[in-house]
Amino acid sequence: MAYVLTAGLMLAATGAALGMTVDHQKEVDHHTGPVAVKYRGDVVITHKQIGAAVPGGRASSLRCEWAASMSIERHAIAASGTRLVRSMDSEPVVSGTRPGWCIGNHRSIAKEVAAKAADMQQHLTTLAREDERVLHVELDRIHGPQRAG
């Protein structure tokens, strides 16, 4: 398994790519031959501002709810040369809440997500394992199913 982790710094207010990617490669067996498969997960963080800022002397309910998910691209090349591409979006992998404005918390949220890189890698590996069945169906649709003996 090969993977690369790259961390970025800038985020948009409501949701944007973190600049962090998680990669996974594997080879899948198919009756037409081995299939080289690469997955690239771009980490996307969404922010939701909750509560209200209040005048001094009163407790503020202002907080930022955030979640980090992945936008995934699968690129597969079959032994026949057939190329299969699929895009997927994952459920949130990590999430949290921070007091205050979302805009003021971008850096700390980005650091927290970057610290969870191993969780992102594990999530992508799990999605790749689940996608193997879909990939087989796509290949069988193109090349036909394996014939019995």
Side-chain angles (χ1 to χ4, degrees):
M1 165 176 46
Y3 61 91
V4 177
L5 300 175
T6 310
L9 297 174
M10 300 305 289
L11 301 171
T14 58
L18 172 62
M20 178 177 160
T21 61
V22 183
D23 295 326
H24 176 72
Q25 297 181 78
K26 68 186 211 172
E27 187 171 280
V28 173
D29 291 326
H30 187 259
H31 70 86
T32 60
V35 181
V37 188
K38 293 181 182 179
Y39 295 88
R40 179 184 176 119
D42 292 315
V43 177
V44 177
I45 299 177
T46 56
H47 304 89
K48 183 177 181 184
Q49 193 67 58
I50 306 291
V54 295
R58 295 179 51 194
S60 175
S61 63
L62 195 62
R63 67 185 189 281
C64 178
E65 291 183 354
W66 61 270
S69 58
M70 282 190 277
S71 177
I72 302 157
E73 291 285 327
R74 181 248 282 153
H75 295 269
I77 302 173
S80 65
T82 302
R83 295 179 181 269
L84 298 163
V85 177
R86 179 177 182 215
S87 297
M88 303 169 266
D89 290 320
S90 78
E91 295 294 320
V93 181
V94 293
S95 61
T97 302
R98 292 202 170 254
W101 292 101
C102 289
I103 195 81
N105 281 300
H106 281 186
R107 274 209 171 107
S108 56
I109 291 169
K111 286 180 184 178
E112 190 170 340
V113 172
K116 302 285 185 175
D119 293 341
M120 295 290 188
Q121 183 65 47
Q122 180 61 40
H123 186 68
L124 183 59
T125 302
T126 299
L127 289 174
R129 194 170 29 253
E130 293 170 0
D131 181 58
E132 191 171 331
R133 181 183 52 80
V134 174
L135 179 58
H136 273 274
V137 169
E138 291 173 356
L139 287 165
D140 288 347
R141 218 179 291 144
I142 294 168
H143 297 291
Q146 185 173 8
R147 296 192 175 113

